[in-house]
Amino acid sequence: MRTAKGDDNTMFGVITVMSLMFVVFGVFADPPGQLLRGLGDILFARDLIITDFVGVGGLGAAFTQAGLLTLVALAIYRLTGAPVDGDAVACLLLVLGTALYGKTLVNVWPIIAGVALYAWVRHDRFADYVSTAFFATALSPIFSALAFTTSLPTWAGFALGISTSVLIGFVVSPIARRLFQAHAGFTLYNMGFVAGVVGAVFVAVYRSFGLEPQPEMIWTSGDGTALLIMLGAMGVGLVALAFYLDRDPWPALRRLMNNTGRAPTNFLAEYGAAAVVLNMAVIGTIATAYILLIGADINGPVLAGILSVMGFGACGKHALNITPVILGVALAGLLKPFDLATPGMIWAALYGTCLAPIAGRFGPQWGVVAGFFHASTAQITGVLVAGLNLYGNGFAAGLVAAVIAPAAALLAHPRRKPDVPDQPVPSA
C-alpha cells in the first residue's frame, strides 16, 4: 500500500526538523574549535558498540554528526525518488539515533554502495532499496574496526574494510528475504536479525585469521536534563502537528492500535500522518517514562533507543503492543540478577519493543513472555558479533520471535486472523 504524497511530504518534513534540531543543539553545545576536533574524533573512531559518541567527541560533535548524517540520508531519499513511507520513517529515525553511537558520515557508504551494486546487477531502481541500504548500515562499525585497526597497515585496513562492507551490502537483500521466513514478521527488526547472522559469520572468519575485534564500552551521563527537554519538545511538536493535520486524530489512532503491528505493515498508508505522528508522540512518552521510572540517565544511546521506538510507530509499534514487552523485560530484571538501569537492560526494554507484533497478535500475556526471554537473550548475542552489529537487540529478537511465535500460535487462541500476509518482505 503506497503512502499518500501529502503524508510522504509531512513525514519528510518531520524528520528534517528533528535532524535540524540535532544540528542546532550540537552547534550551540560546544565552541567551534572543540566541535570540529570532536567531529574528527568521531569520524575516525573504532566505533564498536557501545561507544557513546558524546564520550568520544563531545556533546556538540555527537549531535551535529547525527543530524548531518540524517539530512544526507533525507537528501538521498529525495534525489532517488524513494518514498518516505512507514519503513522509511523508522529507518531515518534509526539513522538519527544510531549516529550517536555507531554510524558516521564515513563508515556508512561502503555498505550503501554494496546495496546499490546489488540493485544495479538486478537492473532494479536503487530507489526501491534505499531503506534497505540504510537499515543495513547496522554493520557499518565493521568498516571502522577494520579501516582504523592498528593490527594491519593503513592501506590494508582500508582495503579490507571497504571490500568487506561492500560485500555485506551486496548480500543483505537476498539474505533478508530468506531470514524473514524464520520469524514471519513477528519482530520488526528483520535487518537486525540479518545483521546479527551476517556479522557473526564475518567476525568468525576474521577471528580465525587473528583479527580480534576489541569492543570498547563508553557510556556517558550528565546530559540528561538537556536531552529530556529535547525529547519533550519533539513530543509536543508531534502532538501539535497531529491536531494541525486532523482536528480529531483520536479515532484514527484507536484504529491504528487495533492493528497487530506484524510486519510488513505501513501505518502511514493505512491511517494517515496525523494518527502516525500522534502515535509516535504517545509511544515516545511511554519509553521516556520507563527510563525515568527505573532511574536511568538519558544519554545518546538511550535517546537512540527512544527514537527507535518512535520511528517504528509508523510501521508496527503502538502503546498496546509495546507495553507488554517492556513489562516482560522489567519482570526479568526483577526476578534475575539484572539491574534495569544498566545499558544492556535499558536497550533490551527499548529495542526489544520490536517484538510488539507478538503481543498484538497473540495477546499481552505473550508480549510479556517475549520480553522476559528477550531480556536474557539480548545479553549474550552481542558476543557473537563482537559489538559490530548496532541492532544487536534485533538479532536477539529474531531468535526469540522464531521460538515464541510458533509456541504462541500453538497454545493461544489468536484474537483475530493475521492482518497482513507473509509477503512482501519489509526493507527493515
Side-chain angles (χ1 to χ4, degrees):
M1 184 181 296
R2 290 187 62 83
T3 305
K5 188 63 177 178
D7 290 340
D8 182 306
N9 291 334
T10 296
M11 299 315 299
F12 184 90
V14 166
I15 299 169
T16 299
V17 170
M18 287 184 171
S19 303
L20 289 172
M21 286 177 66
F22 269 49
V23 174
V24 172
F25 176 79
V27 167
F28 283 98
D30 290 330
Q34 181 178 338
L35 176 67
L36 292 175
R37 286 192 298 273
L39 284 171
D41 291 339
I42 288 171
L43 295 180
F44 301 106
R46 294 179 63 254
D47 50 351
L48 303 179
I49 200 169
I50 302 172
T51 305
D52 185 345
F53 283 165
V54 174
V56 175
L59 186 66
F63 277 80
T64 300
Q65 198 270 153
L68 289 175
L69 178 56
T70 311
L71 290 172
V72 172
L74 283 162
I76 291 175
Y77 272 87
R78 271 295 182 256
L79 291 171
T80 60
V84 184
D85 55 11
D87 265 3
V89 172
C91 177
L92 288 162
L93 286 188
L94 265 180
V95 171
L96 185 62
T98 52
L100 292 172
Y101 68 87
K103 297 178 185 178
T104 73
L105 286 159
V106 169
N107 67 16
V108 299
W109 304 115
I111 287 180
I112 293 172
V115 176
L117 179 62
Y118 176 79
W120 179 78
V121 168
R122 288 179 53 87
H123 303 288
D124 293 336
R125 297 188 318 142
F126 179 58
D128 297 330
Y129 292 86
V130 172
S131 289
T132 298
F134 278 102
F135 274 125
T137 55
L139 289 170
S140 58
I142 286 182
F143 171 80
S144 296
L146 293 173
F148 306 130
T149 181
T150 56
S151 302
L152 296 171
T154 301
W155 67 268
F158 266 91
L160 192 58
I162 291 173
S163 58
T164 300
S165 299
V166 170
L167 177 59
I168 288 171
F170 188 81
V171 301
V172 289
S173 291
I175 293 175
R177 283 194 292 272
R178 177 67 63 180
L179 290 183
F180 181 81
Q181 300 171 12
H183 57 78
F186 286 105
T187 171
L188 298 173
Y189 295 172
N190 185 52
M191 192 57 76
F193 184 39
V194 173
V197 173
V198 173
V201 171
F202 277 91
V203 168
V205 171
Y206 284 127
R207 277 175 170 162
S208 69
F209 283 98
L211 293 174
E212 181 72 22
Q214 299 295 326
E216 181 180 11
M217 176 69 164
I218 299 177
W219 187 268
T220 64
S221 60
D223 302 308
T225 301
L227 301 187
L228 184 60
I229 291 172
M230 179 183 289
L231 276 170
M234 288 180 181
V236 170
L238 290 172
V239 171
L241 178 60
F243 282 90
Y244 173 78
L245 295 171
D246 184 345
R247 298 178 68 177
D248 185 13
W250 297 110
L253 179 62
R254 285 193 291 270
R255 292 195 301 273
L256 182 154
M257 290 194 296
N258 283 325
N259 193 303
T260 67
R262 184 182 173 196
T265 188
N266 183 359
F267 286 169
L268 196 59
E270 295 185 56
Y271 308 105
V276 165
V277 295
L278 185 57
N279 184 48
M280 291 168 63
V282 170
I283 61 179
T285 301
I286 291 172
T288 304
Y290 173 78
I291 295 301
L292 297 178
L293 183 64
I294 63 175
D297 195 21
I298 297 177
N299 59 9
V302 173
L303 177 59
I306 295 172
L307 288 173
S308 170
V309 173
M310 294 171 67
F312 278 84
C315 60
K317 298 181 183 181
H318 53 69
L320 296 183
N321 64 10
I322 68 166
T323 303
V325 178
I326 295 174
L327 291 176
V329 173
L331 179 63
L334 295 174
L335 296 180
K336 301 176 183 180
F338 295 151
D339 181 352
L340 291 177
T342 58
M345 288 299 289
I346 291 172
W347 274 9
L350 295 176
Y351 287 110
T353 55
C354 65
L355 291 164
I358 292 179
R361 178 71 176 88
F362 302 111
Q365 69 277 14
W366 284 103
V368 173
V369 171
F372 183 87
F373 280 95
H374 178 76
S376 298
T377 308
Q379 309 308 310
I380 62 171
T381 51
V383 176
L384 297 176
V385 291
L388 295 171
N389 176 13
L390 297 174
Y391 310 159
N393 272 265
F395 184 20
L399 300 174
V400 171
V403 173
I404 298 298
L410 178 66
L411 299 174
H413 295 288
R415 296 176 297 170
R416 60 181 71 86
K417 293 180 180 180
D419 57 347
V420 292
D422 290 339
Q423 298 295 334
V425 179
S427 57

